[in-house]
């Protein structure tokens, strides 16, 4: 089988890639191993993520499906603060906006079905290995079909949208995969019903906002409403702390929901977990050289930092949007002889995620300065970052401020257009390779 573009993974990154490619006149093939609907974590959208959904023409459908409307995120630490969802109008003035919380089984299915309805071909199977030519360029992918048979799909471009499976990195096609700055963390999560929501008139007291709670560094909880009754709850902590407790995941989660912050406890008068308790350890990583001849890795397939301010869905869908016109240009002959035909795309994505990384690190390392910047000094610039405006007009004065506080320089030159994996508190000297991670 031959196609211009093959996409590994039919999650939001793969489905958005397909829809943006179709807007460019290219009908791709999507390979997805799971049968949808399937469970997935990652339920809160940033403002600009909602913007991408609207640009795909799905805003009305989202309203019809009654996904909870998010007006912002409220953070409870020693004090509480709120960041509203705001967009920029044509004159670049801030204006109120809303976005959504999504049950991923529903949202991901909608996205994939829409991509197929618009002209993508869906193949139900597991991508097993990339096909390479003599020079190492990616020329397609081998797929194990549901009946066990193997099929080669030849492509001009392969988009890796496989999420944390990092298909091309695992196959050794990309540069090395490094542990990320938030390695050795674990997220443990489930759902509750009938928690106490805010019910106010102002944007910061809307019932479906995201709430974040923390007391100690790197130890926090989320509250993301999924419908009028159900709220997704999760606790993120160092994995060593979880292991020390010697509790089951459900026991750990229940105890933490009551001990982590008094405000969180207040909101859950009757604590019963109504969904399986799941966990994801070691979600933080970074892949170097994630674009190259015949391939682009999108979203989680090349980098994920930390879920605290809900950027994952946005990054994957925005990268899909940025990639589509570049793929079209490549198919039309642009950069065919370049070492890395998608080098510009790669550096754009890296710079954007670096803005996020430095913001998150600023939050944990300098919480009081962070709160001051959000409230007073750079309120509008921080509203931009929280919404996801991380690719243009960045690094802003606020982000430059974090970099000074963190004593971190970011340089991008033509020789090494990837941002440097910066290590972590466990490995301050360098970021270790993914294969070197200890078992959890
Ligand atoms: C604890 C935690 C909480 C999070 N919370 C949020 C949040 O609140 N908001 C937010 O925006 N993000 C959040 N995220 C991040 C979010 O889940 C991801 O960024 C997002 O799902 C990435 O979408 P994707 O399409 O790139 O990958 P995925 O959604 O993972 O989709 C990848 C798809 O590829 C398929 N696949 C993989 N390998 C193969 C293969 N070999 N062959 C065929 N198919 C394959 C998989 O079955 C899957 O359907 C969170 C992440 C974690 C770890």
């Amino acid at each position: 089988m031959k196609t211009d573009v093959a996409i590994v993974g039919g999650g939001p990154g793969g489905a958005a890639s397909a829809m943006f490619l179709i807007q460019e006149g290219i009908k791709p093939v999507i390979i997805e191993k799971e049968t949808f609907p399937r469970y997935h974590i990652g339920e809160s959208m940033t403002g600009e993520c909602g913007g991408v959904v609207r640009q795909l023409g799905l805003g009305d459908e989202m309203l019809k499906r009654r996904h909870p409307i998010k007006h912002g995120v409220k953070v409870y630490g020693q004090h509480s603060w709120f960041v509203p969802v705001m967009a920029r109008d044509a004159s670049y003035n801030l204006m109120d906006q809303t976005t959504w919380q999504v049950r991923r089984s529903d949202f991901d299915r909608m996205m994939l079905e829409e991509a197929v309805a618009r002209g993508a071909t869906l193949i139900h199977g597991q991508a097993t290995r990339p096909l390479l030519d003599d020079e190492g360029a990616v020329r397609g992918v081998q797929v194990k079909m549901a009946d066990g048979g193997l099929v080669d799909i030849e492509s001009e471009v392969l988009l890796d949208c496989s999420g944390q499976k990092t298909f091309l990195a695992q196959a050794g096609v990309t540069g090395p995969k490094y542990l990320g700055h938030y390695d050795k963390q674990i997220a443990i999560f489930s759902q509750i019903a009938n928690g106490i929501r805010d019910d106010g008139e102002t944007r910061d007291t809307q019932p479906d906002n995201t709430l974040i709670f923390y007391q100690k560094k790197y130890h926090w909880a989320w509250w993301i409403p999924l419908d009028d009754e159900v709220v997704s709850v999760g606790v993120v902590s160092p994995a060593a702390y979880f292991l020390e407790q010697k509790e089951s995941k459900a026991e750990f989660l229940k105890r933490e929901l009551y001990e982590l912050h008094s405000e969180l406890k207040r909101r859950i008068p009757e604590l019963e977990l109504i969904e399986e308790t799941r966990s994801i350890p070691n979600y933080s990583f970074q892949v170097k050289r994630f674009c190259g001849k015949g391939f682009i890795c999108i979203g989680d397939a090349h980098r994920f930092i930390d879920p605290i301010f809900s950027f994952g869905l946005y990054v994957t869908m925005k990268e899909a949007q940025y990639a589509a016109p570049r793929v079209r240009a490549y198919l039309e002959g642009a950069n065919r002889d370049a070492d890395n035909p998608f080098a510009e795309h790669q550096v754009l994505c890296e710079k954007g995620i670096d803005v996020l990384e430095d913001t998150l690190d600023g939050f944990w390392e300098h919480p009081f300065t962070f709160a001051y910047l959000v409230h007073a000094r750079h309120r509008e610039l921080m509203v931009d970052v929280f919404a996801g405006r991380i690719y243009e007009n960045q690094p802003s004065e606020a982000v430059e401020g974090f970099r000074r506080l963190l004593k971190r320089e970011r340089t991008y030159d033509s020789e090494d257009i990837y941002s440097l994996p910066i290590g972590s508190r466990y490995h301050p000297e360098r970021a270790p390779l993914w294969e070197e991670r200890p078992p959890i």
Side-chain angles (χ1 to χ4, degrees):
M1 180 178 187
K2 277 191 180 182
T3 177
D4 281 340
V5 182
I7 300 174
V8 176
S17 293
M19 285 188 263
F20 283 119
L21 284 168
I22 290 164
Q23 286 180 6
E24 299 288 332
I26 302 157
K27 291 189 173 169
V29 170
I30 303 174
I31 301 124
E32 170 57 55
K33 64 183 169 63
E34 302 278 343
T35 304
F36 283 29
R38 52 101 175 89
Y39 179 88
H40 205 297
I41 195 61
E43 297 144 330
S44 187
M45 291 189 175
T46 67
E48 290 292 317
C49 186
V52 175
V53 171
R54 290 184 185 99
Q55 283 169 33
L56 285 169
L58 294 167
D60 288 345
E61 185 62 26
M62 294 292 285
L63 293 174
K64 215 159 77 190
R65 288 170 184 249
R66 299 174 60 83
H67 290 291
I69 308 261
K70 170 180 169 184
H71 290 255
V73 53
K74 194 159 189 174
V75 179
Y76 291 90
Q78 283 183 12
H79 308 283
S80 70
W81 42 274
F82 175 72
V83 186
V85 172
M86 298 184 88
R88 292 277 182 183
D89 66 16
S91 319
Y92 214 66
N93 294 316
L94 282 175
M95 58 176 196
D96 286 353
Q97 180 59 285
T98 56
T99 187
W100 291 281
Q101 320 280 22
V102 291
R103 208 184 276 275
R104 287 286 300 274
S105 48
D106 183 31
F107 176 72
D108 291 13
R109 179 165 66 170
M110 175 195 81
M111 289 283 289
L112 188 55
E113 285 179 353
E114 190 62 30
V116 171
R118 292 181 189 189
T121 300
L122 176 62
I123 292 188
H124 187 212
Q126 175 158 7
T128 49
R129 67 176 177 87
L131 306 175
L132 306 178
D133 70 12
D134 294 343
E135 288 162 7
V138 176
R139 303 297 304 166
V141 59
Q142 185 180 72
V143 180
K144 187 174 181 190
M145 305 297 282
D147 64 6
L150 293 177
V151 173
D152 283 355
I153 301 178
E154 289 174 40
S155 64
E156 293 294 315
V157 180
L158 184 72
L159 298 184
D160 180 0
C161 300
S162 63
Q164 297 237 339
K165 296 284 181 211
T166 55
F167 173 68
L168 287 179
Q170 293 303 123
V173 168
T174 64
K177 179 175 174 181
Y178 290 90
L179 289 179
H181 201 193
Y182 292 83
D183 68 328
K184 293 195 185 176
Q185 292 285 99
I186 189 165
I188 298 185
F189 41 93
S190 180
Q191 295 170 1
I192 58 157
N194 303 319
I196 297 177
R197 312 251 186 123
D198 288 334
D199 198 9
E201 308 249 302
T202 51
R203 299 198 76 204
D204 63 328
T205 53
Q206 290 299 305
D208 291 335
N209 286 340
T210 295
L211 309 180
I212 300 287
F213 306 86
Y214 76 99
Q215 293 282 14
K216 286 182 278 182
K217 214 170 174 182
Y218 308 125
H219 192 151
W220 57 279
W222 77 70
W223 168 290
I224 298 172
L226 296 181
D227 59 33
D228 287 346
E229 281 188 4
V230 177
V231 176
S232 164
V233 286
V235 168
V236 180
S237 78
Y241 169 79
F242 166 67
L243 293 174
E244 276 159 30
Q245 308 311 307
K246 298 196 180 347
E247 294 168 323
S248 70
K249 285 185 275 186
E251 285 164 351
F252 175 86
L253 181 57
K254 281 171 127 177
R255 185 185 46 72
E256 287 284 318
L257 290 173
Y258 269 10
E259 286 181 7
L260 197 141
H261 198 290
S262 54
E263 174 61 17
L264 177 55
K265 180 177 182 190
R266 181 188 72 79
R267 289 172 183 269
I268 316 178
E270 287 167 33
L271 176 47
E272 190 194 340
L273 302 177
I274 59 164
E275 230 272 332
E276 182 187 335
T277 305
R278 303 166 198 256
S279 66
I280 302 186
N282 258 340
Y283 48 68
S284 190
F285 59 86
Q286 179 173 357
V287 173
K288 281 186 109 179
R289 201 169 54 75
F290 57 90
C291 301
K293 282 195 173 162
F295 73 94
I296 301 177
C297 303
I298 304 263
D300 281 23
H302 70 90
R303 191 167 173 188
F304 186 73
I305 301 173
D306 186 83
I308 189 164
F309 294 125
S310 306
F311 286 110
L313 277 173
Y314 170 62
V315 166
T316 200
M317 289 168 62
K318 192 67 190 176
E319 288 188 5
Q321 185 177 24
Y322 279 131
R326 294 183 197 271
V327 170
R328 179 179 50 74
Y330 178 79
L331 293 177
E332 289 169 357
N335 300 333
R336 291 302 276 224
D337 298 327
D339 273 352
N340 184 346
F342 304 109
E344 274 183 36
H345 174 76
Q346 181 171 272
V347 78
L348 173 82
C349 297
E350 284 287 65
K351 284 181 170 177
I353 304 182
D354 286 346
V355 166
L356 296 183
E357 187 160 63
D358 298 338
T359 302
L360 297 193
D361 293 350
F363 171 74
W364 285 119
E365 299 297 332
H366 304 280
F368 294 110
T369 314
F370 190 92
Y372 166 68
L373 292 182
V374 169
H375 283 308
R377 179 88 192 272
H378 293 307
R379 190 186 151 272
E380 294 200 353
L381 297 178
M382 292 306 295
V383 164
D384 282 335
V385 173
F386 273 85
R389 287 182 285 281
I390 53 174
Y391 298 100
E392 288 164 13
N393 304 315
Q394 294 287 1
S396 66
E397 226 183 298
V399 173
E400 296 278 27
F402 292 136
R403 289 186 180 164
R404 275 194 301 278
L405 283 170
L406 296 162
K407 300 189 174 37
R408 185 175 296 164
E409 274 183 39
R410 296 280 192 184
T411 50
Y412 309 86
D413 60 38
S414 54
E415 292 300 310
D416 185 2
I417 46 176
Y418 336 98
S419 70
L420 201 64
I422 55 174
S424 72
R425 64 191 179 286
Y426 297 108
H427 310 285
E429 68 295 347
R430 71 179 178 103
L433 290 171
W434 179 252
E435 297 78 34
E436 295 170 10
R437 73 194 182 284
I440 291 181

